Amino acid sequence: MEPVKIKLNPIIDFGKMPIANAFLTKEQFKDEFFYDMVLGYDPATHAIGLVNTVPPEHMFHDHYAFFSGTSRAMQRHFRETAEKLLPYAGKGMVVEIGSNDGIMLEAWKELGVRAIGVEPSANVADVSKSRGHEVIAKFMTPEVADEILSRGKVSLVFGANVSCHIEGFREYLECITRLIGREGAFVFEDPYFMDIAEKTSYDQIYDEHVWYFTLSFINAVLDPLGFHVFDCEHIETHGGELRMYVGHKDTHPVKPVVGEWLAKETDIPGKLELLKTNIIKSKIVLLEILNRLKKEGKRVCGFGATSKGVIVTNYCGIGPELIPFITDTTPVKQGKYYPGVHTPIVPQEEFKNVDYAFLFAWNHFKEIDASQDRFRKAGGRWITHVPTPRII
Ligand code: TMP
C-alpha cells in the first residue's frame, strides 16, 4: 500500500509566537525567534498539526530547559507506567524515545530491564548519561534504528510527549515499526486532540507539538505499514492524553476500548471550528479577569513557567503589566525571562505576598494546591483558564 501523504489546511491562526522552551536572558531579547503559529487539518488522514513548523535546532538545543525529573508527580508517573508496561518488556530491550534526563530509564533500571534512551537534546541526555544510562543523543532515524537493533532485540518502544514532536511522523513510525517487528509493541502518550477541544486547552498547542493526535490519524498512518492501535487508555498527566498501544495487525488483535474511543472522534472538523470560537472567548474572559484584578490593586503572579503558559501569555498579550513575575522550581529557568512577553522568572521561595496566582501548570493543580497551604490560608486564590477562565 502507498504510504500516506499529509496536507494541512490552515484552520486556527494564533499569530506570532516565540519558542515555548527558549527562556531568555536580557541580552537574548533582540535575537528572539518568532514564527506564525497556525493549526491545520487534513481531511484525508485526520492529521491536525502546525502548518509552519520550527526547525528542531531552535527547540531541542543544548540549553533546553525542560527537565522531566524536576517534578515528583512525573517521577511517580513514569515509575507506575514502567510497572504497568513490564509485561510488554518481554525478554528484549526497552527503547525510550525522548528519554530526557533519564527519569524513566531509572525506573526500568530499578525493575531490572535493559533500556536504551534516544534523546537529541545534548544537555538533558548528558544528565542521564552521568547517571549511568545507555543513551543515544540523536533524533530517531533509520540509522539510529539500525544502531539499536545491532545492540539487541527490542520488545517495547515507549515515548511520552515526544511522538507529537516529530515532523516526519510517517518516517518515524516506519523506524519504530521496524524496531518492534511483528511481536513487539510501541506505546506512546501525547496530548489528545479531543481533550484540547473539550477543555479549550489551546495552550497544548506550541512549537514542539507538531501533531495533535487522534486514533483516526494514527491508524491512517499505520494502516499501510500493516500495524494498528490495538489498545488505548486515557490519562491526565499533561491535562488529557491518550496512551496508545501499537502492534502488528496479525499479532495484536484490537481491544473493544479502541472502538469506544474512535466513536468519540466523529466530526473532527466541527470540533476544530468550535475550538476556534472557544479560544477567542477564553482570551476575552481571561483578560477581563486580569484587568479587573489589576484595577483593584491585587498582586498577581504566574505559577510554573510552563511551555503552555508561554502560549497563553503571548496569545492573550499578558505581559509583566498584568502578571509581574512567574515562580518556578526549575533552577535553569530562574533569573531568566519568559519567551515573547519577557516576564521575569523567580524561584518558588519568592512566592509570597501574592493575592492571586495564575496556574500556568494547571495540569499539576492537585500537587501544587497540596503544597501551597500557606498561600491558601493567607487568602490566596488560584486563577485558571481551563476549561474556562475563572478564579478557583
Ligand atoms: P509541565 O507542566 O510541562 O510538566 O511543567 C511544569 C513546570 O512547572 C516546571 O517548570 C516546574 C513548574 N512547577 C513549579 O514551579 N512548582 C510546582 O509545584 C510544580 C508542580 C511545577
Side-chain angles (χ1 to χ4, degrees):
M1 253 202 271
E2 277 286 295
V4 291
K5 289 198 178 66
I6 301 166
K7 190 183 174 308
L8 298 171
N9 302 323
I11 306 283
I12 307 178
D13 189 343
F14 290 87
K16 291 260 178 260
M17 283 290 159
I19 303 299
N21 249 309
F23 294 81
L24 308 163
T25 59
K26 266 192 182 151
E27 294 68 43
Q28 290 169 324
F29 288 178
K30 60 182 186 333
D31 301 318
E32 194 170 9
F33 179 85
F34 288 86
Y35 68 104
D36 290 309
M37 194 170 96
V38 180
L39 192 71
Y41 175 63
D42 173 26
T45 59
H46 297 298
I48 300 168
L50 293 184
V51 175
N52 309 309
T53 52
V54 173
E57 55 276 18
H58 280 292
M59 300 183 285
F60 309 107
H61 34 61
D62 57 6
H63 50 280
Y64 188 56
F66 185 84
F67 288 81
S68 310
T70 47
S71 159
R72 244 176 300 126
M74 293 312 289
Q75 279 168 2
R76 206 168 40 241
H77 171 75
F78 284 116
R79 171 71 200 210
E80 284 167 9
T81 305
E83 281 169 14
K84 180 164 194 163
L85 298 181
L86 198 53
Y88 289 102
K91 291 199 179 74
M93 307 181 295
V94 171
V95 173
E96 192 194 355
I97 319 275
S99 51
N100 200 272
D101 53 9
I103 182 172
M104 197 184 193
L105 296 177
E106 194 63 37
W108 287 116
K109 194 173 176 180
E110 284 163 18
L111 293 169
V113 174
R114 180 180 174 198
I116 300 183
V118 181
E119 172 54 64
S121 291
N123 61 329
V124 280
D126 284 347
V127 172
S128 61
K129 279 186 195 165
S130 71
R131 291 176 186 152
H133 298 302
E134 212 177 326
V135 181
I136 300 175
K138 289 180 186 161
F139 287 97
M140 176 51 87
T141 57
E143 292 72 35
V144 169
D146 286 340
E147 186 178 337
I148 294 168
L149 288 171
S150 75
R151 296 189 192 185
K153 186 175 156 47
V154 175
S155 299
L156 171 69
V157 177
F158 177 78
N161 296 296
V162 64
S163 303
C164 68
H165 294 189
I166 316 283
E167 188 173 357
F169 187 62
R170 178 176 59 78
E171 293 81 355
Y172 166 77
L173 280 187
E174 281 168 7
C175 289
I176 289 178
T177 51
R178 240 180 74 212
L179 280 177
I180 60 175
R182 294 173 71 88
E183 305 304 325
F186 169 44
V187 180
F188 65 111
E189 53 193 57
D190 292 271
Y192 183 39
F193 172 71
M194 304 310 277
D195 277 291
I196 298 175
E198 206 169 281
K199 299 177 188 152
T200 317
S201 49
Y202 65 90
D203 52 350
Q204 301 277 18
I205 303 169
Y206 58 89
D207 54 282
E208 290 178 23
H209 295 167
V210 179
W211 307 107
Y212 302 87
F213 292 149
T214 56
L215 285 164
S216 314
F217 170 56
I218 302 300
N219 274 338
V221 183
L222 287 172
D223 190 57
L225 304 172
F227 286 74
H228 60 190
V229 178
F230 65 88
D231 195 4
C232 67
E233 65 193 302
H234 192 249
I235 50 177
E236 288 294 339
T237 331
H238 282 283
E241 305 198 306
L242 202 65
R243 179 181 289 156
M244 304 195 210
Y245 294 67
V246 167
H248 196 277
K249 285 180 189 173
D250 295 345
T251 39
H252 294 83
V254 180
K255 296 191 179 166
V257 64
V258 176
E260 287 163 26
W261 283 93
L262 270 172
K264 297 179 208 247
E265 294 184 4
T266 51
D267 192 21
I268 294 173
K271 298 210 163 78
L272 273 161
E273 281 305 321
L274 186 65
L275 175 63
K276 188 174 173 173
T277 311
N278 286 342
I279 290 172
I280 296 167
K281 281 189 196 157
S282 176
K283 173 178 178 172
I284 294 168
V285 178
L286 180 59
L287 285 173
E288 271 169 14
I289 294 173
L290 292 175
N291 279 310
R292 177 170 57 79
L293 294 178
K294 187 183 174 179
K295 235 186 247 155
E296 290 171 2
K298 304 292 187 200
R299 286 158 304 188
V300 182
C301 81
F303 197 95
T306 61
S307 319
K308 292 189 275 295
V310 171
I311 299 308
V312 178
T313 51
N314 280 275
Y315 171 68
C316 299
I318 301 168
E321 68 294 345
L322 286 176
I323 296 185
F325 65 94
I326 302 166
T327 67
D328 197 286
T329 48
T330 317
V332 291
K333 294 182 183 177
Q334 297 161 359
K336 299 254 174 71
Y337 293 84
Y338 219 27
V341 289
H342 302 167
T343 310
I345 299 160
V346 302
Q348 202 157 290
E349 291 69 48
E350 292 177 38
F351 181 55
K352 47 190 174 206
N353 304 321
V354 167
D355 302 309
Y356 293 85
F358 192 131
L359 285 163
F360 290 133
W362 56 268
N363 52 307
H364 299 296
F365 177 58
K366 272 193 203 137
E367 183 185 355
I368 292 172
D369 194 46
S371 70
Q372 297 303 327
D373 239 18
R374 198 168 46 89
F375 170 64
R376 266 184 294 105
K377 285 201 178 118
R381 307 278 300 271
W382 300 111
I383 304 171
T384 188
H385 69 293
V386 175
T388 48
R390 66 194 195 286
I391 292 166
I392 301 175

